Amino acid sequence: MSERWHVLGVGAIGGLFACRLQSGGADVRLLAREDGQPTRELILRSNEEQRFQFPQQSLAMGQQPIEHLLVCTKAWAVESAIEVIAPRLSATSVVVLLCNGMGLAESVAPLIGEAQLVLGSTTSGCRRSGENELIVSGEGGTQLGALDHGAKPPHWLPCWQQGVPNLHWETDIHSVLLAKVAINAVINPLTAIHQVCNGDLLRSPLWGKTQTLITEVQRLLRSANAVDIAAALPERVRAVCESTSANHSSMRVDLAKGARTEIDAIVGWLLQDLTPNPPATPLLTELFEAVQQRDCGASSMP
């Protein structure tokens, strides 16, 4: 019998991983916030077109227990979504958070009782070109790991390995997530405020600001004794900007649409929660406040 996975947050990444898990043999069900069609088709476009059919149910209507749950919502929506679904979880359930930002595990853990919590990070690129059409812009790699440092790979991992390319189980997922949030803190707010592609950060007139942001984020990391992540940051930022040069960061897309961004879980967490005595970061703080101000404007719109 194939493992059943429910997917909550069927945007670009959630839809991509729903397709990947189904292609790996999993029985995948989609969860929607509102009542809709009992089935949903997703069209995945990369080198070829693939069509996937999924059963779908609303969060409020489902009553059956959930054994395996993949959460791909925006960071700011994770808690409210988990609160709705929590009654369907048990001590044998697994919850995988594949979301941007930090601090999510601490907010989710108390809501899921004895269910196992697994954290994930992916560099896969995907965008939606329509309600049900997904364009894959890069296979990337995906890393999963438990909160317990050194935890062994779970029994359900082979199901993921069948469908998800470049998948790895990490014994120190915290460092993986911290390295990613550091990169995002440099790239996302700068591309969002200036409405540019990732590759533009390596060229004039923004290259100087990019270098300043790298230095400021390095200071934050070193103040938290994350010296290895700090040392690797310049090259990692350059590599991401080069490999995704024509891509738009999710924060740029959200800001352009007037939607709420994930600035709090990325830059806000670095500034406020990484270390009790953060060093001065004038440019990063300026960008954080600028994006936050626009977020407030988006939240107040009718």
Side-chain angles (χ1 to χ4, degrees), residues 134-173:
L134 306 172
I135 309 297
V136 180
S137 55
E139 291 291 353
T142 300
Q143 296 158 290
L144 301 177
L147 281 174
D148 296 333
H149 189 87
K152 295 181 179 180
H155 67 86
W156 47 263
L157 193 65
C159 172
W160 280 65
Q161 291 171 326
Q162 287 292 322
V164 180
N166 304 316
L167 177 72
H168 301 281
W169 180 261
E170 300 290 341
T171 56
D172 181 12
I173 193 64

Side-chain angles (χ1 to χ4, degrees), residues 29-69:
R29 311 293 176 94
L30 307 184
L31 295 170
R33 284 190 172 274
E34 300 177 355
D35 291 339
Q37 297 297 321
T39 61
R40 181 176 175 184
E41 180 182 63
L42 292 178
I43 303 169
L44 198 62
R45 298 187 188 277
S46 52
N47 295 329
E48 59 183 18
E49 177 184 295
Q50 295 176 285
R51 292 175 178 264
F52 298 83
Q53 296 286 340
F54 301 95
Q56 180 173 256
Q57 62 183 213
S58 71
L59 287 177
M61 295 298 292
Q63 300 296 327
Q64 294 180 339
I66 291 178
E67 285 299 308
H68 305 91
L69 176 66

Side-chain angles (χ1 to χ4, degrees), residues 260-281:
R260 184 175 175 182
T261 74
E262 297 175 303
I263 191 71
D264 289 321
I266 298 173
V267 180
W269 184 88
L270 276 177
L271 293 175
Q272 300 161 10
D273 299 307
L274 176 62
T275 176
N277 299 299
T281 52

Side-chain angles (χ1 to χ4, degrees), residues 191-258:
T191 56
I193 289 297
H194 291 278
Q195 287 294 290
V196 296
C197 297
N198 294 351
D200 292 327
L201 300 189
L202 302 180
R203 297 184 288 270
S204 179
L206 293 177
W207 173 231
K209 288 187 175 182
T210 304
Q211 290 178 301
T212 299
L213 281 179
I214 290 172
T215 299
E216 291 185 358
V217 174
Q218 284 180 307
R219 290 194 197 114
L220 285 167
L221 293 168
R222 290 186 181 114
S223 71
N225 295 318
V227 292
D228 291 340
I229 296 174
L233 185 61
E235 181 53 37
R236 286 176 172 171
V237 169
R238 177 181 289 278
V240 170
C241 287
E242 287 178 346
S243 64
T244 63
S245 60
N247 290 5
H248 300 169
S249 71
S250 59
M251 193 172 294
R252 175 195 167 171
V253 173
D254 287 338
L255 213 62
K257 293 191 302 185

